[in-house]
Coordinates of all heavy atoms in Angstrom, one line a residue:
F1 N -66.2 -1.0 121.8 CA -67.1 -1.0 120.6 C -66.6 -0.2 119.5 O -67.0 -0.3 118.3 CB -68.5 -0.5 121.1 CG -69.3 -1.6 121.8 CD1 -70.0 -1.2 123.0 CD2 -69.4 -2.9 121.3 CE1 -70.8 -2.2 123.7 CE2 -70.2 -3.8 122.0 CZ -70.8 -3.5 123.2
Q2 N -65.7 0.8 119.8 CA -65.1 1.6 118.8 C -64.4 0.8 117.7 O -64.3 1.3 116.5 CB -64.1 2.6 119.3 CG -64.7 3.5 120.4 CD -63.7 4.5 121.0 OE1 -63.0 5.3 120.3 NE2 -63.4 4.3 122.3
L3 N -64.0 -0.4 118.0 CA -63.1 -1.2 117.1 C -64.0 -1.9 116.1 O -63.4 -2.4 115.1 CB -62.3 -2.1 117.9 CG -61.3 -1.5 118.9 CD1 -60.6 -2.6 119.7 CD2 -60.3 -0.7 118.2
V4 N -65.2 -2.1 116.3 CA -66.0 -3.0 115.5 C -66.1 -2.6 114.1 O -66.4 -1.4 113.8 CB -67.4 -3.2 116.1 CG1 -68.3 -4.0 115.2 CG2 -67.3 -3.9 117.5
N5 N -65.9 -3.5 113.2 CA -66.1 -3.2 111.7 C -66.3 -4.6 111.0 O -66.6 -5.6 111.7 CB -64.9 -2.5 111.1 CG -63.5 -3.2 111.3 OD1 -63.5 -4.4 111.3 ND2 -62.5 -2.4 111.6
D6 N -66.1 -4.7 109.8 CA -66.4 -5.9 109.0 C -65.4 -7.0 109.4 O -65.7 -8.2 109.3 CB -66.2 -5.7 107.5 CG -67.4 -4.8 107.0 OD1 -68.4 -4.7 107.7 OD2 -67.2 -4.3 105.9
Q7 N -64.2 -6.7 110.0 CA -63.3 -7.7 110.4 C -63.2 -7.9 111.9 O -62.6 -8.9 112.4 CB -61.9 -7.4 109.9 CG -61.6 -7.5 108.4 CD -60.2 -7.1 108.0 OE1 -60.0 -6.0 107.6 NE2 -59.3 -8.0 108.2
V8 N -63.8 -7.0 112.7 CA -63.6 -7.0 114.1 C -65.0 -7.1 114.8 O -65.9 -6.4 114.5 CB -62.9 -5.7 114.6 CG1 -62.7 -5.8 116.1 CG2 -61.6 -5.6 113.9
Q9 N -65.1 -8.1 115.7 CA -66.3 -8.3 116.5 C -65.9 -8.2 118.0 O -64.8 -8.6 118.4 CB -67.0 -9.6 116.2 CG -67.6 -9.6 114.8 CD -68.2 -11.0 114.5 OE1 -67.9 -12.0 115.2 NE2 -69.0 -11.1 113.5
I10 N -66.9 -7.8 118.8 CA -66.8 -7.9 120.3 C -67.5 -9.2 120.7 O -68.6 -9.4 120.3 CB -67.4 -6.7 121.0 CG1 -66.6 -5.4 120.6 CG2 -67.4 -6.9 122.5 CD1 -65.1 -5.4 121.0
L11 N -66.9 -9.9 121.6 CA -67.4 -11.2 122.1 C -67.6 -11.1 123.6 O -66.6 -10.9 124.3 CB -66.5 -12.3 121.7 CG -67.0 -13.8 122.0 CD1 -68.3 -14.1 121.3 CD2 -65.9 -14.8 121.6
R12 N -68.8 -11.3 124.0 CA -69.1 -11.3 125.5 C -69.5 -12.7 125.9 O -70.5 -13.3 125.3 CB -70.1 -10.3 125.9 CG -69.6 -8.9 125.8 CD -70.5 -7.8 126.4 NE -69.9 -6.5 126.3 CZ -70.4 -5.4 126.7 NH1 -71.7 -5.4 127.1 NH2 -69.8 -4.2 126.6
L13 N -68.8 -13.3 126.8 CA -69.0 -14.7 127.2 C -69.7 -14.8 128.5 O -69.3 -14.1 129.5 CB -67.7 -15.5 127.2 CG -66.9 -15.6 125.9 CD1 -65.6 -16.3 126.1 CD2 -67.7 -16.3 124.8
M14 N -70.7 -15.6 128.6 CA -71.4 -15.9 129.9 C -71.3 -17.4 130.1 O -70.9 -18.1 129.1 CB -72.8 -15.5 129.9 CG -73.0 -14.0 130.3 SD -72.4 -12.8 129.1 CE -73.6 -12.9 127.8
P15 N -71.5 -17.9 131.3 CA -71.4 -19.3 131.5 C -72.3 -20.2 130.6 O -71.8 -21.3 130.2 CB -71.9 -19.5 133.0 CG -71.6 -18.1 133.6 CD -71.9 -17.2 132.5
D16 N -73.4 -19.6 130.2 CA -74.3 -20.5 129.3 C -74.6 -19.9 127.9 O -75.4 -20.4 127.2 CB -75.6 -20.7 130.1 CG -76.3 -19.4 130.5 OD1 -75.6 -18.3 130.4 OD2 -77.5 -19.5 130.8
Q17 N -74.0 -18.8 127.6 CA -74.2 -18.2 126.3 C -73.1 -17.2 125.9 O -72.2 -16.9 126.8 CB -75.5 -17.5 126.3 CG -75.5 -16.2 127.2 CD -76.8 -15.4 127.0 OE1 -77.3 -15.2 125.9 NE2 -77.3 -14.8 128.1
E18 N -73.1 -16.8 124.7 CA -72.1 -15.8 124.2 C -72.9 -14.8 123.3 O -73.9 -15.2 122.6 CB -70.9 -16.4 123.4 CG -71.3 -17.1 122.1 CD -70.1 -17.7 121.4 OE1 -69.2 -18.2 122.1 OE2 -70.1 -17.7 120.2
I19 N -72.5 -13.6 123.4 CA -73.1 -12.5 122.6 C -72.1 -11.9 121.7 O -71.0 -11.6 122.1 CB -73.7 -11.4 123.5 CG1 -74.7 -12.0 124.5 CG2 -74.3 -10.3 122.6 CD1 -75.3 -10.9 125.4
V20 N -72.4 -11.9 120.4 CA -71.5 -11.3 119.4 C -72.0 -10.0 118.9 O -73.1 -9.9 118.6 CB -71.3 -12.3 118.2 CG1 -70.4 -11.7 117.2 CG2 -70.8 -13.7 118.7
Y21 N -71.1 -9.0 119.0 CA -71.4 -7.7 118.6 C -70.8 -7.3 117.3 O -69.5 -7.2 117.2 CB -71.1 -6.6 119.6 CG -72.0 -6.7 120.9 CD1 -71.6 -7.4 122.0 CD2 -73.2 -6.0 120.9 CE1 -72.4 -7.5 123.1 CE2 -74.0 -6.1 122.0 CZ -73.6 -6.8 123.1 OH -74.4 -6.9 124.2
D22 N -71.6 -7.3 116.2 CA -71.1 -6.7 114.9 C -71.6 -5.3 114.8 O -72.1 -4.7 115.8 CB -71.5 -7.6 113.7 CG -73.0 -7.7 113.7 OD1 -73.7 -6.9 114.4 OD2 -73.5 -8.6 112.9
R23 N -71.4 -4.7 113.7 CA -71.8 -3.3 113.5 C -73.2 -3.0 113.9 O -73.5 -2.0 114.7 CB -71.5 -2.9 112.0 CG -71.8 -1.4 111.7 CD -71.4 -1.1 110.3 NE -72.0 0.1 109.8 CZ -71.5 1.3 110.1 NH1 -70.4 1.4 110.9 NH2 -72.1 2.4 109.6
E24 N -74.1 -3.8 113.4 CA -75.6 -3.5 113.7 C -75.9 -3.8 115.1 O -76.8 -3.2 115.7 CB -76.4 -4.4 112.7 CG -76.4 -4.0 111.3 CD -76.8 -2.5 111.0 OE1 -77.7 -2.1 111.8 OE2 -76.2 -1.8 110.2
A25 N -75.3 -4.8 115.7 CA -75.6 -5.2 117.1 C -75.1 -4.0 118.0 O -75.7 -3.7 119.1 CB -74.9 -6.5 117.5
V26 N -74.0 -3.4 117.7 CA -73.5 -2.2 118.5 C -74.6 -1.1 118.4 O -74.9 -0.4 119.4 CB -72.1 -1.7 117.9 CG1 -71.8 -0.4 118.6 CG2 -71.1 -2.7 118.2
K27 N -75.1 -0.8 117.2 CA -76.1 0.2 117.0 C -77.3 -0.1 117.8 O -77.9 0.8 118.4 CB -76.5 0.3 115.5 CG -77.6 1.3 115.2 CD -77.1 2.7 115.4 CE -78.0 3.8 114.7 NZ -79.4 3.8 115.2
E28 N -77.7 -1.3 117.8 CA -78.9 -1.7 118.6 C -78.7 -1.5 120.1 O -79.6 -1.1 120.8 CB -79.3 -3.2 118.3 CG -80.6 -3.6 119.0 CD -80.9 -5.1 118.7 OE1 -80.3 -5.7 117.8 OE2 -81.8 -5.6 119.3
K29 N -77.5 -1.9 120.6 CA -77.3 -1.8 122.0 C -77.0 -0.3 122.5 O -77.5 0.1 123.5 CB -76.1 -2.6 122.4 CG -75.8 -2.6 123.9 CD -74.7 -3.6 124.3 CE -74.4 -3.4 125.8 NZ -75.6 -3.7 126.7
M30 N -76.2 0.4 121.7 CA -75.7 1.7 122.2 C -76.4 2.9 121.5 O -76.3 4.0 122.0 CB -74.2 1.8 121.8 CG -73.3 0.7 122.4 SD -73.3 0.7 124.3 CE -72.5 2.3 124.6
G31 N -77.2 2.6 120.5 CA -77.9 3.7 119.8 C -77.1 4.4 118.7 O -77.7 5.3 118.0
V32 N -75.9 4.1 118.6 CA -75.0 4.7 117.5 C -74.1 3.6 116.9 O -74.0 2.5 117.5 CB -74.1 5.8 118.1 CG1 -75.0 7.0 118.6 CG2 -73.2 5.3 119.2
Y33 N -73.5 3.9 115.8 CA -72.6 2.9 115.1 C -71.2 3.0 115.8 O -70.9 4.0 116.4 CB -72.6 3.2 113.6 CG -73.8 2.7 112.9 CD1 -74.8 3.7 112.5 CD2 -74.0 1.4 112.7 CE1 -75.9 3.2 111.8 CE2 -75.2 0.9 112.0 CZ -76.1 1.9 111.6 OH -77.2 1.4 110.9
P34 N -70.4 2.0 115.5 CA -69.1 1.9 116.2 C -68.2 3.2 116.0 O -67.6 3.6 116.9 CB -68.4 0.7 115.5 CG -69.6 -0.2 115.2 CD -70.7 0.7 114.8
E35 N -68.3 3.8 114.8 CA -67.5 5.0 114.5 C -67.9 6.2 115.3 O -67.2 7.2 115.4 CB -67.4 5.3 113.1 CG -68.7 5.6 112.4 CD -69.4 4.4 111.8 OE1 -69.1 3.2 112.3 OE2 -70.3 4.5 111.0
Q36 N -69.1 6.1 115.9 CA -69.6 7.2 116.8 C -69.5 6.9 118.3 O -69.9 7.8 119.1 CB -71.1 7.4 116.4 CG -71.4 7.8 115.0 CD -72.9 7.9 114.7 OE1 -73.6 6.8 114.8 NE2 -73.4 9.0 114.4
I37 N -69.0 5.7 118.6 CA -69.0 5.4 120.1 C -68.0 6.3 120.8 O -68.4 6.8 121.9 CB -68.4 3.9 120.2 CG1 -69.5 2.9 119.8 CG2 -68.0 3.6 121.7 CD1 -70.7 2.9 120.7
G38 N -66.9 6.7 120.3 CA -66.0 7.6 120.9 C -66.7 8.9 121.2 O -66.6 9.5 122.4
D39 N -67.4 9.5 120.3 CA -68.2 10.7 120.5 C -69.3 10.6 121.6 O -69.5 11.4 122.4 CB -68.8 11.3 119.2 CG -67.7 11.8 118.3 OD1 -66.5 12.0 118.8 OD2 -68.0 12.1 117.1
L40 N -70.0 9.4 121.5 CA -71.0 9.1 122.5 C -70.5 9.1 123.9 O -71.0 9.8 124.8 CB -71.7 7.8 122.2 CG -72.8 7.3 123.1 CD1 -74.0 8.1 122.9 CD2 -73.0 5.8 123.0
L41 N -69.3 8.4 124.1 CA -68.7 8.3 125.4 C -68.2 9.7 125.9 O -68.2 10.0 127.0 CB -67.6 7.3 125.4 CG -68.1 5.8 125.1 CD1 -66.9 4.9 125.0 CD2 -69.1 5.3 126.1
A42 N -67.7 10.5 124.9 CA -67.2 11.8 125.3 C -68.3 12.7 125.7 O -68.1 13.5 126.6 CB -66.4 12.4 124.1
M43 N -69.5 12.6 125.1 CA -70.6 13.4 125.5 C -71.2 13.0 126.9 O -71.6 13.8 127.7 CB -71.6 13.4 124.4 CG -71.2 14.0 123.1 SD -72.4 13.9 121.8 CE -73.7 15.0 122.4
V44 N -71.3 11.7 127.1 CA -72.0 11.1 128.3 C -71.0 11.1 129.5 O -71.4 11.3 130.6 CB -72.5 9.7 128.0 CG1 -73.1 9.1 129.2 CG2 -73.6 9.8 126.9

């Protein structure tokens, strides 16, 4: 998730659907923005 920006998205594929994570989707899922993911993981 650290990589996500205007040009980079994370794609999660399931048999019947796909989930696309852009900057706002990362914030919704993880509680922080992509540039803060490294610090979040370091703390947790």
Side-chain angles (χ1 to χ4, degrees):
F1 281 135
Q2 300 177 65
L3 299 175
V4 172
N5 56 38
D6 291 342
Q7 287 180 262
V8 182
Q9 294 177 342
I10 297 296
L11 185 60
R12 291 191 175 173
L13 298 179
M14 272 70 75
D16 56 348
Q17 66 172 322
E18 63 181 38
I19 303 175
V20 179
Y21 289 95
D22 57 13
R23 180 176 166 79
E24 291 301 325
V26 171
K27 177 66 162 65
E28 182 178 351
K29 179 174 179 61
M30 302 297 291
V32 297
Y33 284 106
E35 60 270 22
Q36 297 173 299
I37 289 292
D39 286 350
L40 178 73
L41 299 177
M43 294 175 69
V44 174

